[in-house]
Structures are given as C-alpha cells and as structure tokens.
Amino acid sequence: NSRGARLGDRARAGDEVRLDGKPIALGARASVRVLAYHKPVGEIVTRNDPKGRSSVFERLPPLANGKWVAVGRLDYNTSGLLLLTNSGELANRLMHPRYEVERAYAARVHGVLDDAVLAQLRRGVEIGDGAAAFESIEATGGEGSNRWYRVRLREGRNREVRRLFEAVGGRVNRLIRTQYGPISLPRELDPGGWRELDADEIARLENTPQAGLRRGQAVVQRRKTC
C-alpha cells in the first residue's frame, strides 16, 4: 500500500503488494468444501490400487484447485458415511486421535452377545494394538444368530469395530458408518451418491469440540449422483 513493509506486517485481501516495484497477486483462501459420500461395499478409499478395484474418488466432482481428502477411511467391506474435504487442515483435525471425534456405526454381528459381554465391550478389551472400548453399544434387533448393534467410539484405528467384536467371539458380517462428528448419513443418499454440505453443516464440523479451525466462506451447494 505504497509504504515499506516492516517485520510483522500482514497483507490482507485488497492490499496492494509490490516486490521490487512489481505487483504480487495475493491468492484468496480457498473456501472450505465438504462432501458427504455414501460409500458402498466394494470400493476402496485410495486413489491407486494394484488390484484395480473401484475407488471412491472416481465418483466425486472435480476441483478447480487442490484435491479431495478423505476424513478417515472405510475398508473395502464397510459401507456408509465418508466425509471428504478440500481442507487438509480440517481433515487432519477431525481425524487426529487427541480430539476424539465420535463415530457411530450399525453393525450386524453373528453370535449372541449377552449383557455381560456388552458391559465388557464398554469397559474395554484387548484388540492386539492395545485396549479399546465402545463409548456406547445398544442392541437394535435381528433374527436367528445375527443381531444388529448401534455402537459409538472416539477412535479410528484400523478395523477397530470388527476387532472389538471379534475379541469377544462375535463376527461382523455387515458394517455401516452412520455418523461422523455432528454429520449423519443422509437418509435420501443412495450408495455411490454424494451431497455437498451447506454452510451451517460445515460450521458445525468446524466447531466440533477441539476440531475448530479458522473458518473460510463455505460454498453452499447440494448435489447428488447415482
């Protein structure tokens, strides 16, 4: 702005900045965008796979700048909510173990688990890389030897839900992530479809306890693909 810069000065949008008399364009901070994707069984959450399997990234809308970053992963045989964002900062905060962002799943388990076993899963069991526990577990029905459970936990270790049930003699034969932080899997979203979160939803994610970051202007769109 026609004066010499001093140590500690900050350039803001609209400021005129010149170096050796030549103008420098200041890039605007990219708007934070987040997609809620309904991952089907049979897709991987990576861009490159030696086995040539389908990737969730093949279905996403293109970005003019940057790339989509998955907030955590779901394994090949797990379906449900997968959040993707163009903000690496937001993704890292939502995934970092220290922030303990809650995840919820619906799990169909082969094997009858009595009240004592459910209590054990709440207290904690050893799963090979340390102890783990569900924040909550609730039986929600089922037939025969298969029962459905609604579970919540605050970690994202590899195959953690499956390993917790395996540790007490159960076997998960279907697993669906239904919630990540404050965002739930949209009921109207078919497997393979995505919807862009609106400004209010992104604000809720950014303000998730300990997961906040400097808020950019959110892009407000709603889209869906099949």
Side-chain angles (χ1 to χ4, degrees):
N1 297 328
S2 300
R3 68 172 180 83
R6 297 186 297 272
L7 185 64
D9 281 351
R10 291 174 178 263
R12 297 177 174 82
D15 286 346
E16 181 187 34
V17 180
R18 292 177 176 269
L19 178 62
D20 296 331
K22 297 179 180 180
I24 296 176
L26 297 179
R29 185 176 185 270
S31 299
V32 174
R33 298 176 63 183
V34 182
L35 302 180
Y37 178 69
H38 188 164
K39 178 193 173 298
V41 170
E43 288 185 351
I44 58 172
V45 188
T46 184
R47 287 180 169 79
N48 300 303
D49 179 50
K51 298 181 180 179
R53 293 172 293 183
S54 297
S55 167
V56 299
F57 295 99
E58 296 170 6
R59 296 182 185 263
L60 305 182
L63 283 171
N65 297 295
K67 64 180 181 179
W68 293 114
V69 179
V71 179
R73 293 193 176 190
L74 294 175
D75 66 30
Y76 185 76
N77 293 315
T78 300
S79 62
L81 177 65
L82 179 67
L83 297 180
L84 301 109
T85 178
N86 66 336
S87 170
E89 183 180 0
L90 177 59
N92 289 335
R93 286 178 176 270
L94 289 170
M95 289 186 289
H96 199 289
R98 67 179 290 192
Y99 301 132
E100 297 185 336
V101 177
E102 189 174 79
R103 293 92 155 156
Y105 296 82
R108 189 176 67 187
V109 180
H110 180 78
V112 179
L113 308 180
D114 59 25
D115 289 343
V117 172
L118 298 184
Q120 184 181 0
L121 287 169
R122 295 185 192 100
R123 290 194 304 269
V125 296
E126 175 62 44
I127 61 171
D129 56 358
F134 290 126
E135 287 287 315
S136 66
I137 179 169
E138 176 187 359
T140 58
E143 297 180 354
S145 58
N146 289 304
R147 292 287 187 272
W148 281 95
Y149 297 90
R150 182 182 297 114
V151 301
R152 295 180 180 273
L153 70 168
R154 295 182 181 274
E155 291 184 305
R157 282 190 264 174
N158 184 42
R159 299 183 71 253
E160 187 169 6
V161 173
R162 296 179 187 274
R163 290 191 291 155
L164 273 162
F165 280 111
E166 289 168 2
V168 295
R171 181 175 62 84
V172 175
N173 51 40
R174 189 174 179 189
L175 185 60
I176 307 166
R177 184 154 69 195
T178 58
Q179 186 175 342
Y180 198 109
I183 305 301
S184 297
L185 179 66
R187 291 183 177 274
E188 76 280 3
L189 200 58
D190 295 330
W194 58 269
R195 178 174 71 77
E196 186 150 0
L197 302 192
D198 61 29
D200 289 341
E201 292 169 315
I202 292 175
R204 287 164 55 201
L205 264 181
E206 292 178 333
N207 292 324
T208 298
Q210 301 297 327
L213 77 166
R214 297 180 305 276
R215 189 180 307 162
Q217 180 181 2
V219 176
V220 182
Q221 296 187 52
R222 287 179 179 265
R223 296 178 181 174
K224 180 179 176 181
T225 63
C226 297

